[in-house]
Amino acid sequence: MQERLKIDQPRWDQRTFSGRLRHFLSMTDPRNCLASNKKLYEAKTLLELYRNGIEPVGTTEKDVWKAKKIYESAFHPDSGELQNILGRMSFQVPGGMAITGCLLQFYRTNTAVIFWQWFNQSFNAFVNYTNRNAQSDITKSQLLGAYVSATSAALVTALGLKRALSKNSSSLVQRCVPFVATAAANMVNIPLMRQSEIKNGIQCYDENGNKVVKSKYAAVKGISQVVVSRITMAAPGMLLVPVIMENLEKLRWMQRFKRYGVVTQTLLVGCFLLFMTPTACALFPQQSSISTGKLSLLDANRLKEMKDTFSYGKSESLYFNKGL
């Protein structure tokens, strides 16, 4: 009898970087964006049927893995809800390359800086909200506060550095300002967007998937990893493309086609994001973990409750979804 596929677990070993990379190469594949809602729900249905052992006759392993790839690219891992296409990680390459290309091209005037930084933070806020941990509750006022704070951080950083560097710095240095602004905004946007997790803790489970406790320490760890991943994702494209463009623009043929500069930058950014999106997502395990003893750092009361109810010591490690 053929062994059943473990479709509720990642296809590749998530304990290794290479396994996580293959997993996210599949999940962030931009071609997943082309799948219609009908195809997405067909994939979901096939997985449900397979899980119950009543899949259609003739269903192959290839069909199941393909359905899993499509499903994971569009449905939230916690809630199972269909995500808006603009917030999916599979849209990071087409969406990110277009916005980043414009950020790098239109950096000379304050109006352009303000508009594209606002546009970028609007996109980032939507992505962060879409990929948050589904167990967290956040109010509309908190969402608005996170959005305004991140946009303000990006604008203050971008305009401040632009003014400071405008007279004494090369155009190459000025072209790197958007990255600094984006990094600063990520350090504000993501923690504020997920502030309820920091205040109330993120749900942690034992190795069998049973709920154990909500941990603030786990929330801080998970959110910190997401911030690092997002900055890493953007860094190569936003730092190396300006260097490439500085050299390309010195060539005669490029000087004749300056109007296509934004197209060139956008395509170059896309090449970087195509590989950096899954690479950055793979830096840390999606299902992150903490040792039970770490609860003493930010969750002393909950650790005491666990000891009082004899649940302490049953699991050496606790697991949680860090989000993307």
Side-chain angles (χ1 to χ4, degrees):
M1 182 177 179
Q2 188 176 12
E3 185 179 353
R4 303 288 291 178
L5 301 177
K6 298 178 181 179
I7 61 172
D8 292 320
Q9 298 178 15
R11 184 176 182 179
W12 297 281
D13 187 356
Q14 297 300 286
R15 294 171 297 180
T16 66
F17 175 76
S18 60
R20 295 194 297 271
L21 180 60
R22 294 180 71 182
H23 172 73
F24 284 109
L25 277 169
S26 173
M27 182 185 292
T28 63
D29 187 341
R31 294 174 297 179
N32 292 331
C33 294
L34 301 177
S36 64
N37 281 0
K38 179 182 178 182
K39 190 173 183 179
L40 293 174
Y41 279 107
E42 286 177 350
K44 181 179 181 180
T45 299
L46 177 58
L47 291 179
E48 291 173 348
L49 293 174
Y50 187 86
R51 187 177 291 109
N52 294 319
I54 54 174
E55 69 275 9
V57 177
T59 300
T60 65
E61 287 190 5
K62 184 178 180 181
D63 294 331
V64 177
W65 287 129
K66 183 178 180 181
K68 182 175 172 64
K69 173 184 177 180
I70 294 173
Y71 174 83
E72 290 183 338
S73 73
F75 291 86
H76 196 283
D78 289 337
S79 66
E81 295 180 354
L82 180 63
Q83 297 173 315
N84 186 292
I85 188 171
L86 299 181
R88 298 174 196 168
M89 295 309 294
S90 57
F91 191 74
Q92 276 293 291
V93 174
M97 65 185 280
I99 296 172
T100 305
C102 291
L103 276 171
L104 296 176
Q105 177 69 16
F106 306 113
Y107 66 93
R108 292 182 175 86
T109 67
N110 289 342
T111 301
V113 169
I114 291 172
F115 175 78
W116 285 110
Q117 286 293 342
W118 163 78
F119 197 92
N120 184 43
Q121 291 313 311
S122 298
F123 177 70
N124 286 341
F126 189 73
V127 172
N128 293 337
Y129 177 75
T130 302
N131 293 281
R132 74 198 185 283
N133 185 295
Q135 301 295 327
S136 64
D137 297 319
I138 185 168
T139 65
K140 291 182 179 180
S141 61
Q142 289 173 329
L143 280 173
L144 180 61
Y147 171 65
V148 172
S149 298
T151 304
S152 299
L155 289 175
V156 169
T157 303
L159 293 175
L161 285 177
K162 181 178 181 297
R163 182 177 181 180
L165 300 174
S166 60
K167 296 182 180 179
N168 302 318
S169 300
S170 65
S171 59
L172 176 59
V173 173
Q174 294 179 47
R175 276 180 153 170
C176 292
V177 169
F179 169 71
V180 180
T182 299
N186 271 322
M187 288 187 282
V188 173
N189 195 346
I190 297 173
L192 285 178
M193 189 67 67
R194 299 176 60 178
Q195 59 186 284
S196 63
E197 296 174 41
I198 299 174
K199 292 179 180 178
N200 305 318
I202 193 171
Q203 184 64 59
C204 295
Y205 304 82
D206 62 18
E207 60 271 16
N208 298 316
N210 301 312
K211 291 183 179 180
V212 177
V213 68
K214 283 190 173 183
S215 168
K216 297 177 183 178
Y217 176 82
V220 171
K221 178 180 179 180
I223 292 170
S224 299
Q225 291 178 341
V226 171
V227 171
V228 171
S229 294
R230 290 296 183 83
I231 294 175
T232 302
M233 188 186 301
M238 299 190 79
L239 292 177
L240 295 180
V241 169
V243 176
I244 296 172
M245 289 303 298
E246 278 287 308
N247 288 280
L248 284 179
E249 289 173 354
K250 295 176 183 178
L251 302 177
R252 286 187 177 181
W253 65 268
M254 191 65 182
Q255 292 176 0
R256 292 171 56 190
F257 299 101
K258 286 186 177 180
R259 72 180 71 177
Y260 299 114
V262 65
V263 177
T264 304
Q265 290 198 106
T266 299
L267 292 176
L268 287 172
V269 170
C271 291
F272 280 107
L273 282 178
L274 191 62
F275 297 100
M276 284 309 303
T277 299
T279 300
C281 290
L283 288 178
F284 308 100
Q286 178 69 27
Q287 292 299 321
S288 191
S289 65
I290 58 172
S291 63
T292 307
K294 292 291 186 180
L295 294 175
S296 62
L297 297 175
L298 296 175
D299 308 284
N301 292 335
R302 290 170 182 173
L303 179 60
K304 184 177 182 300
E305 290 177 8
M306 289 179 65
K307 290 181 177 180
D308 291 341
T309 57
F310 304 103
S311 57
Y312 180 77
K314 291 183 178 180
S315 299
E316 293 184 0
S317 296
L318 300 174
Y319 303 89
F320 62 96
N321 176 17
K322 71 175 179 62
L324 288 173

